[in-house]
Amino acid sequence: MPSHLSADRPAAQPQASGPVDALITQARRLKGEVDAVRRGTPADGTDPRERWRRALYDFALHQLDDVDRHLAQLRDDPQTASGPSAGDPVTQPGPRRGSLLSRVGSAEWNLLTDEVTWSGELYRILGRDPAAPPLTLDELPSLVLDEDRPRLTSMVTGCLVDARPIDGEFRVVRPGDGVRTVHMVGEPVLGADGSTASMWAVLRDVSELRRCRRTVSETRDSLRRERHAAARTEHRLAVELQEAVLPPAHGSLRLPHDASHTLDLAATHLPPSTQTPVGGDWYDALGLSDGTTLLSVGDLTGRGIGAASGMAMMLGAVRGIAMTGADPGPLLACLNRLLDTTAQPALGSAVCLRYRPETRSLVWAQAGHPAPLLFRGGTGRALDAPRGVLLGAVSGASYGQAEETLEAGDLLLLYTDGLVPGHAGNTAAHRLLALAPRFAGARTAQDCVRAVVREFGEGEREDDACVLVARIAG
């Protein structure tokens, strides 16, 4: 590739400047618009997100400055002032600092004549006295930080020996101005015999650009840390709220306490195995004043502290409405109206059962939820579900009820979606029904819950889930 600094070659004629002027105008207009938006950004030094946004604006402005400079060079096709060769008088140092060309310099090293030519601006970029002779390729590494010298040597060697283009960065120490980062691009100029005759390079001071890039990276990392910390705090609060609201999951519970045909109850909540925020799953068993027992499980859409607080609201509503003596169907209708009036729209599913011990009768209703599974005599089946849409889906929806007469030794399993990882609907129900032989040999409801956990709760799971087992005591 011909050198752009060779004095014995005719200078190329500049292209028509009209299209380039238009591009310069567009670049400067865009730069002004970006700067206006940046100045309108709140200068809140305590907000990591705002610091990151301002750093990105600064980075974009520096990039647009570079576009402006390069387009101006393309338009003006400047005859760059050369630095002095050895013994030559000092020439003009080049463009003034702050001009469009103030951070771009060029050089050529002629391997046949040992002549070295530097532009005036290259002296300023590398912190050299314009009166000093330009450095040879052997002398150039003396300006570079020790840890960057192998990189520069490798780039130059690859260009001279293997005719590879140069494109890389290194840092130089400028007297009184500290460390600057220089980006160097160049190519070899081949002679008639195919060997390298000279090497030319364009060097650019990219210190401010790299500073902006570091600021963007640092503020982005700070924002990421803040978000991770906030997510951990939210996760902890959601878990604590869930644990405070749900009944204890250890051991078995017998309800009603003073009845002959009590329910042996056990339940547990299975959290996600990853850092996925907890959902709005719940379970509950409540002894009522008339001697009946209300069982319920449900799931509210959403994740995190919002879902956990919504779950707490729903569970509190279930308990409060049940205390009024409402049957499962009207109870779900009340929950539907509650969700319909909340400030944050949400959907939920639930199943509610009311058990009367003296008759071993069960009345239940569901709202878009998997039906309870009934296990008897070593086999199991899903109960026939009455009508019921998701909570919060249809204003004024009503919910049907179904009745079931139970026998001593029967076992009911209530669960939420996600209990069987990777399966839902009928497939999940069939996997759970396959546990019937294990349940038949279990002595307590807690043993059944342990069997479910061993089968479905010890592997990876992306969603949390609840399971509640009720066994009809003899």
Side-chain angles (χ1 to χ4, degrees), residues 10-169:
Q13 295 300 314
Q15 298 178 353
S17 61
V20 179
D21 279 329
L23 291 174
I24 292 173
T25 300
Q26 293 177 26
R28 292 178 181 176
R29 182 185 299 117
L30 178 59
K31 185 168 63 174
E33 292 172 354
V34 173
D35 188 47
V37 175
R38 176 193 174 280
R39 285 186 275 107
T41 303
D44 185 357
T46 62
D47 186 347
R49 180 172 178 80
E50 292 303 327
R51 292 201 304 269
W52 175 68
R53 287 166 60 89
R54 289 183 67 85
L56 279 179
Y57 283 132
D58 288 340
F59 186 56
L61 287 172
H62 277 287
Q63 295 277 33
L64 289 171
D65 279 339
D66 283 341
V67 172
D68 193 352
R69 290 186 180 92
H70 296 328
L71 289 174
Q73 282 183 290
L74 185 62
R75 177 195 62 191
D76 299 337
D77 193 31
Q79 294 297 313
T80 308
S82 298
S85 299
D88 290 343
V90 177
T91 59
Q92 291 295 323
R96 62 181 175 83
R97 185 177 297 276
S99 71
L100 294 176
L101 307 179
S102 63
R103 291 191 298 176
V104 179
S106 53
E108 182 177 19
W109 290 271
N110 192 312
L111 305 184
L112 302 180
T113 64
D114 291 331
E115 181 183 3
V116 182
T117 311
W118 281 14
S119 69
E121 181 52 33
L122 185 55
Y123 279 83
R124 277 186 292 274
I125 291 175
L126 299 180
R128 293 280 292 171
D129 182 355
L135 298 182
T136 66
L137 289 174
D138 291 332
E139 296 169 331
L140 186 61
S142 64
L143 303 178
V144 180
L145 287 181
D146 291 345
E147 53 264 40
D148 290 355
R149 287 178 184 174
R151 184 185 311 141
L152 175 61
T153 301
S154 176
M155 289 192 300
V156 171
T157 301
C159 183
L160 298 180
V161 177
D162 301 323
R164 292 200 304 263
I166 290 177
D167 189 351
E169 294 181 1

Side-chain angles (χ1 to χ4, degrees), residues 53-370:
R53 287 166 60 89
R54 289 183 67 85
L56 279 179
Y57 283 132
D58 288 340
F59 186 56
L61 287 172
H62 277 287
Q63 295 277 33
L64 289 171
D65 279 339
D66 283 341
V67 172
D68 193 352
R69 290 186 180 92
H70 296 328
L71 289 174
Q73 282 183 290
L74 185 62
R75 177 195 62 191
D76 299 337
D77 193 31
Q79 294 297 313
T80 308
S82 298
S85 299
D88 290 343
V90 177
T91 59
Q92 291 295 323
R96 62 181 175 83
R97 185 177 297 276
S99 71
L100 294 176
L101 307 179
S102 63
R103 291 191 298 176
V104 179
S106 53
E108 182 177 19
W109 290 271
N110 192 312
L111 305 184
L112 302 180
T113 64
D114 291 331
E115 181 183 3
V116 182
T117 311
W118 281 14
S119 69
E121 181 52 33
L122 185 55
Y123 279 83
R124 277 186 292 274
I125 291 175
L126 299 180
R128 293 280 292 171
D129 182 355
L135 298 182
T136 66
L137 289 174
D138 291 332
E139 296 169 331
L140 186 61
S142 64
L143 303 178
V144 180
L145 287 181
D146 291 345
E147 53 264 40
D148 290 355
R149 287 178 184 174
R151 184 185 311 141
L152 175 61
T153 301
S154 176
M155 289 192 300
V156 171
T157 301
C159 183
L160 298 180
V161 177
D162 301 323
R164 292 200 304 263
I166 290 177
D167 189 351
E169 294 181 1
F170 53 87
R171 291 166 296 170
V172 298
V173 180
R174 297 199 317 203
D177 196 20
V179 177
R180 307 292 291 182
T181 302
V182 176
H183 183 215
M184 181 178 183
V185 295
E187 290 187 358
V189 178
L190 303 181
D193 58 355
S195 63
T196 303
S198 64
M199 187 188 88
W200 67 264
V202 173
L203 296 92
R204 185 164 63 112
D205 184 347
V206 294
S207 303
E208 291 303 311
L209 197 62
R210 296 299 172 260
R211 182 191 62 79
C212 288
R213 184 173 290 175
R214 285 194 302 273
T215 302
V216 169
S217 177
E218 291 167 359
T219 54
R220 182 182 61 245
D221 292 343
S222 175
L223 179 61
R224 185 181 295 115
R225 288 192 297 270
E226 292 281 346
R227 286 175 172 172
H228 285 172
R232 287 194 299 270
T233 300
E234 179 178 328
H235 181 75
R236 176 177 55 80
L237 292 175
V239 170
E240 290 177 355
L241 176 58
Q242 192 176 57
E243 291 175 348
V245 172
L246 293 178
H250 54 81
S252 292
L253 173 69
R254 288 184 175 268
L255 290 176
H257 298 294
D258 54 356
S260 57
H261 304 298
T262 59
L263 290 176
D264 176 20
L265 299 167
T268 193
H269 170 260
L270 299 174
S273 54
T274 62
Q275 289 300 314
T276 304
V278 298
D281 295 58
W282 87 81
Y283 64 86
D284 195 31
L286 181 66
L288 301 175
S289 58
D290 62 356
T292 61
T293 299
L294 183 79
L295 306 178
S296 66
V297 296
D299 185 8
L300 198 64
T301 56
R303 292 184 181 276
I305 191 67
S309 61
M311 177 271 293
M313 176 194 71
M314 293 289 287
L315 188 50
V318 168
R319 293 169 176 171
I321 298 169
M323 287 294 186
T324 68
D327 281 334
L331 188 154
L332 291 179
C334 290
L335 292 183
N336 184 66
R337 290 196 296 273
L338 175 63
L339 276 187
D340 200 32
T341 58
T342 54
Q344 296 295 331
L347 295 175
S349 69
V351 60
C352 292
L353 300 83
R354 193 174 189 127
Y355 174 69
R356 192 171 297 278
E358 61 268 21
T359 60
R360 289 178 178 165
S361 61
L362 184 74
V363 178
W364 70 284
Q366 62 85 29
H369 198 88

Side-chain angles (χ1 to χ4, degrees), residues 403-456:
E403 296 187 18
E404 192 80 26
T405 300
L406 303 179
E407 300 177 3
D410 282 356
L411 186 142
L412 288 169
L413 188 146
L414 285 63
Y415 64 100
T416 60
D417 276 335
L419 177 61
V420 182
H423 299 279
N426 291 334
T427 305
H430 289 155
R431 296 286 299 275
L432 289 166
L433 290 171
L435 297 177
R438 299 193 207 177
F439 291 165
R443 298 176 56 190
T444 65
Q446 185 64 38
D447 290 338
C448 296
V449 169
R450 292 194 186 101
V452 173
V453 172
R454 281 195 297 268
E455 184 69 22
F456 303 114

